[in-house]
Amino acid sequence: MADKHLTGLTPEGGENEERKPRLKPIVEGAETLSLGISMVVAVLIGVALGIGLKKLTGITWLLWVGVVIGIAAAFLNVFKAYSKQYKEFEELSKNPRYNPKTLEGDDDDDDDDAAKHY
């Protein structure tokens, strides 16, 4: 019976079609929330690091060093997410379907016809 669950087969022998569409929106939502969550976690880890250094050494300003490190890590996460999205955009712009420069080359016949009417 465990093999049926692993292969995605129902006891009737058909594929479990309801399961696949349900997971896709969850994964997309997790990807969208992951940036916000990672920013909060980075700041919290930096604050915890600062509090730990403050208690360990007794130097008060080390708390603020931890806060700055956390904020810097959050900005680094945003930069990494931006870079990833930019790369995906670049790949999409190379696709002839979405590239207006390649579409302009196809319209040469229309431009010649329009010039004849003037």
Side-chain angles (χ1 to χ4, degrees), residues 54-73:
K54 178 183 170 187
K55 287 185 179 183
L56 185 65
T57 62
I59 302 173
T60 308
W61 58 268
L62 284 177
L63 169 68
W64 296 107
V65 170
V67 170
V68 169
I69 289 172
I71 292 172

Side-chain angles (χ1 to χ4, degrees), residues 12-56:
E12 293 83 27
E15 289 189 24
N16 191 357
E17 294 292 330
E18 295 177 7
R19 197 168 199 170
K20 292 180 183 178
R22 289 184 184 174
L23 292 178
K24 187 175 180 180
I26 294 172
V27 171
E28 289 174 355
E31 288 177 0
T32 326
L33 287 174
S34 67
L35 179 61
I37 291 171
S38 69
M39 289 176 61
V40 171
V41 169
V43 172
L44 289 177
I45 289 174
V47 168
L49 179 69
I51 290 172
L53 286 173
K54 178 183 170 187
K55 287 185 179 183
L56 185 65

